[in-house]
Amino acid sequence: MPAESPLRLAIFASGRGSNALSIIRAAKEGRLSRVEPVLVVCDKPGAPVATRSREEGVPVLEIRPRDFDSKDAYEGAILEHLREKSVDAVALAGYMRLVGPVLIGSFPDRILNIHPSLLPSFPGLAAQKQAIDYGVKMTGVTVHFVDLLMDHGPVIMQKCLPILPEDTEESLSRRLLPIEHEAYLESLDALSRGRLRIEGRRVLWSAD
Ligand code: GRF
């Protein structure tokens, strides 16, 4: 891809959409100057992320997995839309399902995810509550490449945050959210500038 052409990004989301909106706005405002969000894929028709993304002028594909016979068929249908929009990479942003072989195979090392813990600790749902319940004193966020396992692929970036004695799941989630947004923008910017190289499980960053 020539350096000057923007990375055509699809964002997959299921709910509120704060990460999706943060990416869309950053791209619009030139803070993510080499990323162009071209499609939002929402597996929960009617979710706030769908409305909010349309309001920002990004097309939304609302698509329900249960309308398909299999996961492969569901992802195959999504893939057609991604191809139609010449999508280069995918950002999962609160997409509440595992990505399968159809999409992973079509976008090798081009699908990213954000997770609200320091992986490999606390993968899966309610990561903030898992961290509080375990009693760790530090937690954070992880941006990683996506493979077939849950919250598992090579780590691109992590940012830390102390857990306070008075933290609840809600307060910790609220304090982590701006850090999620920041880490995702920095990671996508690096991806769009060709700065990320994967060696085994390690992601190496080159200078800009
Ligand atoms: C975020 O905490 C993200 O890390 C997790 O799901 C949440 C989605 O929030 N995977 P939002 O929809 O981006 O506001």
Side-chain angles (χ1 to χ4, degrees):
M1 186 177 35
E4 63 276 8
S5 45
L7 183 85
R8 294 176 64 81
L9 185 73
I11 303 168
F12 285 28
S14 305
R16 168 179 67 179
S18 74
N19 278 284
L21 265 287
S22 143
I23 295 167
I24 291 168
R25 289 188 181 138
K28 263 191 180 174
E29 292 163 9
R31 287 178 285 120
L32 208 47
S33 57
R34 299 201 188 186
V35 173
E36 187 182 349
V38 292
L39 184 67
V40 167
V41 175
C42 178
D43 63 329
K44 296 228 164 59
V49 67
T51 317
R52 298 175 78 189
S53 302
R54 281 200 188 95
E55 281 168 6
E56 295 289 333
V58 179
V60 177
L61 169 67
E62 292 180 271
I63 185 163
R64 218 187 307 258
R66 68 161 186 259
D67 291 341
F68 296 85
D69 290 341
S70 65
K71 188 178 184 105
D72 282 4
Y74 163 69
E75 292 199 341
I78 294 176
L79 190 55
E80 282 183 27
H81 289 267
L82 301 185
R83 292 210 167 116
E84 202 175 286
K85 295 263 180 209
S86 305
V87 164
D88 298 311
V90 172
L92 309 183
Y95 180 64
M96 303 307 283
R97 61 187 61 245
L98 272 182
V99 178
V102 170
L103 288 173
I104 303 261
S106 305
F107 289 89
D109 302 334
R110 305 300 278 176
I111 305 181
L112 278 66
N113 183 41
I114 176 91
H115 184 75
S117 76
L118 296 175
L119 292 172
S121 293
F122 316 126
L125 292 176
Q128 301 91 335
K129 179 172 188 310
Q130 290 187 57
I132 291 173
D133 289 351
Y134 194 92
V136 292
K137 304 299 183 200
M138 291 293 288
T139 187
V141 308
T142 303
V143 181
H144 63 95
F145 285 109
V146 172
D147 62 15
L148 287 168
L149 303 177
M150 188 174 56
D151 300 327
H152 176 267
V155 171
I156 298 169
M157 168 178 279
Q158 294 187 303
K159 287 182 186 268
C160 303
L161 185 75
I163 296 183
L164 307 174
E166 63 272 24
D167 260 328
T168 61
E169 183 180 4
E170 291 68 35
S171 70
L172 182 58
S173 305
R174 195 167 47 245
R175 291 195 300 118
L176 278 171
L177 202 58
I179 303 172
E180 290 190 31
H181 297 169
E182 209 177 277
Y184 223 169
L185 296 190
E186 286 175 34
S187 300
L188 286 167
D189 187 59
L191 181 77
S192 71
R193 292 171 192 277
R195 293 181 58 199
L196 305 179
R197 184 164 54 87
I198 304 179
E199 264 185 24
R201 274 214 54 92
R202 300 178 68 208
V203 177
L204 304 176
W205 287 59
S206 62
D208 198 3

